Amino acid sequence: MLLLALALALAAAALLAPSASAAPSLEVLGLQGRLSTDLGLNSAWVVVAGLFVMFMQAGLAMVEVGFVRGKNAGSIVAKILANFAICGIVFWAVGFAFSFGSGGLLLGTHGFFTEGQSAFPLAYPINPKGVTPDTLWFFEFVFCAIALAIVWGTTLERVKFGVYLIYAPIFAGIIYPVIAHWIFADGWLRADLHVQDFAGSIVVDVTAGAAALAVLLLLGPRRGKYAPDGKPRAIPGHNMPLFGLGILILWLGWFGFNPGSTLNALDGRFPEIVLITQLAGSAGVLAALAVMWMLTKTFDIGMAGNGAIAGLVAITGPAGYVKPWAAVVIGAVAGVIVVFGVIRIDRRVDDPIGVLSAHLLAGIWGALSLGLFATPLLAAHNLPGSHGGLLYTGSFTQLGSQAVGVIVTFAFVFVSSYAVFWLIDRTIGLRVSPQEENVGLDISEHGMYGYPEQFIPSPELIGYGAVPASLRIGTGPLSDPDVTA
Amino acid sequence: MLLLALALALAAAALLAPSASAAPSLEVLGLQGRLSTDLGLNSAWVVVAGLFVMFMQAGLAMVEVGFVRGKNAGSIVAKILANFAICGIVFWAVGFAFSFGSGGLLLGTHGFFTEGQSAFPLAYPINPKGVTPDTLWFFEFVFCAIALAIVWGTTLERVKFGVYLIYAPIFAGIIYPVIAHWIFADGWLRADLHVQDFAGSIVVDVTAGAAALAVLLLLGPRRGKYAPDGKPRAIPGHNMPLFGLGILILWLGWFGFNPGSTLNALDGRFPEIVLITQLAGSAGVLAALAVMWMLTKTFDIGMAGNGAIAGLVAITGPAGYVKPWAAVVIGAVAGVIVVFGVIRIDRRVDDPIGVLSAHLLAGIWGALSLGLFATPLLAAHNLPGSHGGLLYTGSFTQLGSQAVGVIVTFAFVFVSSYAVFWLIDRTIGLRVSPQEENVGLDISEHGMYGYPEQFIPSPELIGYGAVPASLRIGTGPLSDPDVTA
Amino acid sequence: MLLLALALALAAAALLAPSASAAPSLEVLGLQGRLSTDLGLNSAWVVVAGLFVMFMQAGLAMVEVGFVRGKNAGSIVAKILANFAICGIVFWAVGFAFSFGSGGLLLGTHGFFTEGQSAFPLAYPINPKGVTPDTLWFFEFVFCAIALAIVWGTTLERVKFGVYLIYAPIFAGIIYPVIAHWIFADGWLRADLHVQDFAGSIVVDVTAGAAALAVLLLLGPRRGKYAPDGKPRAIPGHNMPLFGLGILILWLGWFGFNPGSTLNALDGRFPEIVLITQLAGSAGVLAALAVMWMLTKTFDIGMAGNGAIAGLVAITGPAGYVKPWAAVVIGAVAGVIVVFGVIRIDRRVDDPIGVLSAHLLAGIWGALSLGLFATPLLAAHNLPGSHGGLLYTGSFTQLGSQAVGVIVTFAFVFVSSYAVFWLIDRTIGLRVSPQEENVGLDISEHGMYGYPEQFIPSPELIGYGAVPASLRIGTGPLSDPDVTA
Amino acid sequence: MKKVEAFIRHEAFEPIRIELLELGFPSLSVMEAKGSGRQRGITERYRGAELTSWLRPKIKIECVVADGDVQTIVDTILKHGRTGNVGDGKIFVLPVEQAWRVRTGESGEEILQAHPGEG
Amino acid sequence: MKKVEAFIRHEAFEPIRIELLELGFPSLSVMEAKGSGRQRGITERYRGAELTSWLRPKIKIECVVADGDVQTIVDTILKHGRTGNVGDGKIFVLPVEQAWRVRTGESGEEILQAHPGEG
Amino acid sequence: MKKVEAFIRHEAFEPIRIELLELGFPSLSVMEAKGSGRQRGITERYRGAELTSWLRPKIKIECVVADGDVQTIVDTILKHGRTGNVGDGKIFVLPVEQAWRVRTGESGEEILQAHPGEG
Ligand SMILES: Nc1ncnc2c1ncn2[C@@H]1O[C@H](COP(=O)(O)OP(=O)(O)O)[C@@H](O)[C@H]1O
Ligand SMILES: Nc1ncnc2c1ncn2[C@@H]1O[C@H](COP(=O)(O)OP(=O)(O)O)[C@@H](O)[C@H]1O
Ligand SMILES: Nc1ncnc2c1ncn2[C@@H]1O[C@H](COP(=O)(O)OP(=O)(O)O)[C@@H](O)[C@H]1O
């Protein structure tokens, strides 16, 4: 009802709003068939790239499903759907305008409800080599949505469902847009400090990681995670095959994430970024496997997957700035970071899928690595005024900018998110009761197990026993003598 | 054997058929490198969009797997593969010609076996802004295939496998093509009555829903679904994570479904349709979650997914005709419809995955909503002669056309499908025996459980016990004292 | 550490290597916005097609997960990730240069580390109608990666993890590149003998099958597979739904595999190849289902999937050479072959997922079928100097070439792989111990079950029992009286 | 005290449970079991190879009752468990020497079922 | 010899196992069971329809011991199994007539638990 | 009548079942169990953290036979169950007072196994 009311209000507002722009609108141009082939090509490429990024929702869902216990597996599904749904509406209504709308160094102030084509300086027609505003919306929306999805990784198996419904609009409406505006659009970090982030090591991963840390500190560990003596204990996820499927989907999605961030199919950059992305992911897997083998003499499945993510997260920021060989180095270092990160962090705080290691730490490393390995040519191409990395220029300038970008982002997101979560904790509460946690979120929050046949006694499941006698058929010739109807 | 014979006959026919067209064929033009960039771009975009639609087969498969009991999970796989396979061959041989071949108001009569490029008025070279005929074939084929897949949603866990093999060719060969011709191509509903359906709320969803209802009425509920007093009882699906994966894959596929239906990457419309699709899906999820929470105080996972589907189904018809704000309204209403639909319908007939609510009801709503919210500009662009919606024009004309489109489609598909299913029921029978239903379709129709380790006693599974003594190795130093070889 | 050292060495090498080419590099052209729209379009299409091929890693993973026992399901994930990772780095460092770098009839000798745009004769700027070198790299890399993944299909549930780490670099670095060079690039089989293989029935499937046979002969069957009297016994895979998901993902991927092999969006060929691919897959499913039904009166799920793969494998080679009707014949024959292949081969050697039938036999049939059904027009278009098939020309010439291509490929790959595996067997050993095999690879190689909750007693899993008394909360009003915290 | 152990078909359990509840016997435990007896094995097929299964799924009921209640329990199980086909199952009665209720630590016959007023 | 059979909550098992081990009783077996007793059923919801579950998951412990050890075992289970809420479970004791160790073929009371030195 | 209960390794069951069938004892039931005894726990690893498992999977056989058949059953289990390693399992014999066949309602010793001609 509330939602309907909101929708109708929006509708009214939109109908009344005067169409601000004087230039022939894209819509009219398109209907007249006057769009250029280049614009069509760029938009098609970026929409398709965005589709692969959207699919990362499924990837993350499967990773989380795989890494939680079976009694909480269903809740992941509801969580992903609700957050993705909220993000879609909020990012359309306000998030996109705040982040990519024209405005100033602090915040975009135009383009609410994607109204006004000229409100978006990165899109056509203001940037005639680019994509249509709706294309830009979609591509940036899926970024925001995956960042939001990552936030919750630290909260699995114990957070109240209501927390999503409160924080998601705030994140998609203002927290993420602020950072995106500052670093991806024309905000101060980019314009004044030349902070560089090709596809979001900072904007997506550091942001998500900072928020994930904020909620985790308030939420505390899962029951039983730490023995009375404080030693962490393994709470293994219940399904490695689905985890593996998730990792492969995420990897696939990254080929939309990084190469699509060119917002362009015509500058010849995106295929090389595909290669660079692959190399970093490869190196992340191999480094993580190797380190784990040295530590435990086993080839840890979860760590191999975490290594892939770490490598891919780390290359996200520098993907458009570095040479292929550097991608191997960046990915391998990320793979090492993630292993030690997971093991160390596990001693203190309970991060079920490794968000703090694979996203926050690897994202920071990725942001800084750009300051080490960016070639001057690519730095200049991507942002005139920015600098090549230490390795090429001998100068710490870009590295310093990167560090500032990371610190500012972390501070802003952590503080604002902590405040929001603190308020939630003081009001409706962040965490389900111990009883609910014991029995699992599927049954306590969603009324039904994710795997009913595993948890409900078969005599009570229709089709496995609970067929009332009155429905039984008589005896007769049976092919399987042990099956009666 | 039969199939081979058929194939050889086709081969002979194809070899003998004179190549009808006089103009230089696309094949020759292409081989000479004389195709235009625009045609290449359009075709590439539409093929890629079609790939995402094709992937919806996997999405629907996972939704169905998740929503059935474990003993019937494997049969979904065989079902999807067989139907998809049949549809491919039949839609190539005759379905495409009937639906999109040139001909008349009732049925296409040219272009069997995709022969004759000029037989397809919507494709290049007759429509030089469009796509190649094979591209059109693929895009329309995946639509037909998903419609066919949806039909079976009401029949899960009790229908005979043979039913698919009989009905699938009829549906893909004639039932679906008739409707597609009438509404998508140059049939009477579109040409004379200006029925509008951008991407198939009617053609795909009402069609599938009508056929699904026909077979359901003949088939009856699953054993035990209704208590002796007639009260419906929950038969929970066995796997919410795979259900969730399926929903996300379907959502992804919808970004091919709707935006790809522009059949064009150059009119600038498809990115906005991406946005509109997302908004409706979002609103569907949130409305369904909200309504269920009001009804039961739980966040129902299955309903969240059904809400997404309902929102996406509803926007399928009007996607190319409405403003973004209207998509929010359309999706939210669909989300409400689906909840009450599922609950009410469950009292009377047994629809395991909610086809009648999420596809039939939401599809009808989507078709009608176009008559409410279509903007005059977009209506004129999509089909000269059609009208804007009630909200803009104050006229019921388009709404009336839409209603006629729904009624005609429902009537034609329901009656023809009912006849076919009635005949099947009277001959080989629609339904497996009660014993087979009890033991599950996996074992009774396919000879093996979908999850053998869950149903076969471990002592009888090789590797879990059934290793004959003769294969055992002697004793020796074992690292795990409890494992002998 | 080793990896890091390697990476740093590579970095040094790359930094020092003089940029060989004199022409303005693609990078510079692109940065200046001087790339042609056609090049952008072709590259975008081929990158996207490559993404669908990359996704086949997930498809194969799910097929293998589905077809193994639950105790080995997790190991599939680690296997896929490790092989994919290794392949990425090795194919970048050397594999691509050996296969597609310019050089001679035997091996490419330029373009290590993808350096030197002019080193790749199939790519722009040498072939200005084509794609950028990085695009070509990615597309060919995902081919190599899937071939490598297929190799391991015969070894599941008993091979040591270390074997992957040794063989993968050799396969991706030299064995596969040799065959790719000979048949896909400008090697002797293609240049001198006009062996034709559109998308890899030989290069991918015969290659993978030959290596898979080599390792299988050395490895032997799974324990208990053959009864003491030599009769094969069924070891059913544990998860048909994930198997089905895998098949559908593979099918989707094939629409990148075959149509993307045009390396071009502008010659109008790729949409027809989409149609042809679908027809062969369809026919494969239906033929396999039909034959199995005749043999066993059940609709075998696994065989339906194997039939799809066989049909798709068989059409891979001739996809760009034949008419649609021929695709139906080729696919149907492959579907028959795979059924008898699986059943016969199962009597002698233990091939858990049917690599030898669905890839090796179907691949050989596909390669030969090109010699039967290739139209002269398309043969000439694809490779001037090659011949149409027997059916059109009455000549055995092309058929003979195809047979030579198959034999040479099989011989080279089988012998070289057998040698490598023999060496591994004699040194670290190919196979885990009987105890490890009994307990499953997940626990023995990776330290944790793929489904911990299925194998670890619930009282020992945190959250299902093992919460120490000290963490229990007191009594109080509980909504579910049976849950204490 | 006696322990009644019964191996029955899954679909027989629900009516048995309901009638026992009505008769004042809410307390019992069940377990999944597999059994072989007079019924033949069934043959499954997997990609052409065969697998024969001799054990069929059953529910095992365990219910400890006072000596005088044994016949009631047995009769209820017999009444609802019978289809007349092989595989209907078996009932066994074993002696029990002592019983405790964990919640209170009480022992003896009176703890076996819920007290009339408690239920 | 006696067989102690106990139906308990899952979370009670771990401390019971640990204390029995310390007391010199490492040998026991457990099974998953579902039980109904005084606790009420719970209601689950699935897409608007209801499903009532009367059986709740329990762990069944089976432990065969010498006659004199029965009370120790029972006491340990009572100690850790009690939360005071309905659903804590029951313990039963049954007579056992003979026992064998499969590994050696030995029989008798002394095979029930590991010998002190064997561990 | 006696009930033979045996906890054995999974891989021992198949030969035991076959030999019992040949000896005229087709009727038995099995359940999954987990046990601890003299065997040590094993340690699993998950992303760097450890998990120790003390309980190992076993099959529990339950077979009710006439008094005179106990030794045959026990011998068969001992014969095929023994590998000589710790963890081979245990066999227990319990008294049974009465038995019914659900299919016919008959009771007594003769219902325990299939009649010679019936099988
Ligand atoms: N002697 C026995 N000991 C243990 N379980 C038995 C015994 N006899 C039968 N059962 C159990 O009862 C089930 C049904 O036995 P069956 O012989 O088929 O019954 P019927 O004789 O009524 O046809 C078996 O699957 C098994 O679980
Ligand atoms: N008479 C009995 N026979 C078999 N199992 C029983 C019996 N009584 C209780 N149980 C088992 O004990 C569990 C707890 O029983 P309940 O009556 O709830 O305990 P309490 O009386 O302590 O509240 C039940 O779920 C069931 O598994
Ligand atoms: N006293 C007992 N009570 C119940 N089960 C037992 C007992 N002793 C052993 N078991 C079962 O037998 C299995 C093997 O026991 P174990 O002590 O390892 O045998 P062994 O002494 O031959 O090495 C255990 O896992 C457990 O399931």
Side-chain angles (χ1 to χ4, degrees), chain E residues 53-65:
Chain E
S53 204
W54 294 92
L55 299 167
R56 307 295 302 146
K58 298 281 171 224
I59 283 280
K60 184 186 185 194
I61 302 182
E62 302 195 0
C63 184
V64 179
V65 290

Side-chain angles (χ1 to χ4, degrees), chain C residues 194-219:
Chain C
H194 298 140
V195 174
Q196 295 273 43
D197 189 9
F198 191 71
S201 282
I202 306 179
V203 176
V204 173
D205 296 295
V206 173
T207 296
L213 180 60
V215 64
L216 176 56
L217 293 183
L218 287 160
L219 198 59

Side-chain angles (χ1 to χ4, degrees), chain B residues 57 60 64 79-80 82-88 141-153 164 167-173 176 204 207-208 211 421:
Chain B
Q57 296 286 329
L60 194 71
E64 293 186 342
K79 180 203 94 146
I80 291 276
N83 279 288
F84 186 60
I86 291 171
C87 195
F141 152 64
V142 288
F143 272 54
C144 177
I146 195 71
L148 175 58
I150 295 166
V151 170
W152 303 119
Y164 304 136
Y167 182 75
I170 298 171
F171 183 86
Y176 178 89
V204 173
T207 296
F421 287 121

Side-chain angles (χ1 to χ4, degrees), chain C residues 183-202:
Chain C
I183 297 182
F184 274 171
D186 42 10
W188 64 284
L189 283 177
R190 178 181 167 100
D192 297 344
L193 298 182
H194 298 140
V195 174
Q196 295 273 43
D197 189 9
F198 191 71
S201 282
I202 306 179

Side-chain angles (χ1 to χ4, degrees), chain B residues 9-25:
Chain B
L10 294 184
L15 278 175
L16 296 175
S19 188
S21 104
S25 78

Side-chain angles (χ1 to χ4, degrees), chain B residues 6-383:
Chain B
L6 175 75
L8 289 172
L10 294 184
L15 278 175
L16 296 175
S19 188
S21 104
S25 78
L26 259 186
E27 186 173 62
V28 169
L29 274 179
L31 295 182
Q32 296 167 351
R34 283 164 53 202
L35 288 196
S36 74
T37 306
D38 286 5
L39 181 60
L41 171 57
N42 286 344
S43 298
W45 157 246
V46 173
V47 161
V48 170
L51 289 186
F52 287 101
V53 180
M54 181 259 151
F55 194 31
M56 295 172 91
Q57 296 286 329
L60 194 71
M62 290 302 104
V63 164
E64 293 186 342
V65 161
F67 266 2
V68 300
R69 286 164 290 180
K71 64 184 179 178
N72 299 311
S75 74
I76 304 294
V77 173
K79 180 203 94 146
I80 291 276
L81 289 179
N83 279 288
F84 186 60
I86 291 171
C87 195
I89 290 184
V90 174
F91 199 74
W92 163 68
V94 296
F96 188 52
F98 283 153
S99 47
F100 289 88
S102 59
L105 292 175
L106 280 174
L107 215 57
T109 52
H110 293 78
F112 297 95
F113 302 100
T114 63
E115 284 290 316
Q117 50 166 308
S118 57
F120 302 103
L122 285 178
Y124 184 92
I126 304 216
N127 170 14
K129 295 229 150 190
V131 297
T132 71
D134 293 316
T135 304
L136 187 67
W137 177 84
F138 180 61
F139 196 70
E140 302 301 338
F141 152 64
V142 288
F143 272 54
C144 177
I146 195 71
L148 175 58
I150 295 166
V151 170
W152 303 119
T154 51
T155 69
L156 302 179
E157 311 203 89
R158 56 210 192 280
V159 77
K160 277 189 181 168
F161 197 82
V163 177
Y164 304 136
L165 305 181
I166 299 172
Y167 182 75
I170 298 171
F171 183 86
I174 184 73
I175 295 178
Y176 178 89
V178 163
I179 300 300
H181 189 78
W182 290 356
I183 297 182
F184 274 172
D186 43 10
W188 65 284
L189 284 177
R190 177 182 168 99
D192 296 345
L193 297 183
H194 297 141
V195 175
Q196 296 273 44
D197 189 10
F198 191 72
S201 282
I202 306 178
V203 175
V204 173
D205 296 294
V206 174
T207 296
L213 180 61
V215 64
L216 176 56
L217 293 182
L218 286 160
L219 197 59
R222 288 168 291 178
R223 288 172 52 74
K225 171 69 195 172
Y226 296 97
D229 61 0
K231 228 184 126 227
R233 307 195 301 174
I235 305 185
H238 82 291
N239 198 318
M240 286 304 109
L242 289 186
F243 165 76
L245 176 64
I247 295 290
L248 288 166
I249 293 175
L250 287 172
W251 200 320
L252 173 68
W254 242 288
F255 290 123
F257 216 87
N258 293 354
S261 290
T262 53
L263 295 180
N264 190 301
L266 291 167
D267 70 357
R269 298 285 309 134
F270 70 94
E272 193 187 20
I273 297 172
V274 171
L275 163 63
I276 282 172
T277 302
Q278 174 66 31
L279 292 176
S282 284
V285 168
L286 296 177
L289 271 177
V291 175
M292 277 306 278
W293 194 82
M294 286 185 283
L295 295 178
T296 67
K297 302 290 172 227
T298 59
F299 298 100
D300 194 279
I301 300 169
M303 278 297 188
N306 275 163
I309 301 303
L312 293 163
V313 162
I315 204 63
T316 297
Y321 292 81
V322 301
K323 290 271 175 199
W325 66 264
V328 177
V329 179
I330 293 170
V333 172
V336 175
I337 288 174
V338 80
V339 171
F340 290 105
V342 164
I343 293 174
R344 288 279 156 85
I345 287 169
D346 198 48
R347 293 190 196 151
R348 294 311 200 72
V349 290
D350 181 18
D351 177 14
I353 66 164
V355 170
L356 300 183
S357 318
H359 292 275
L360 185 54
L361 295 186
I364 292 172
W365 158 242
L368 298 179
S369 75
L370 190 153
L372 298 175
F373 299 114
T375 73
L377 180 69
L378 290 168
H381 172 63
N382 282 295
L383 179 60

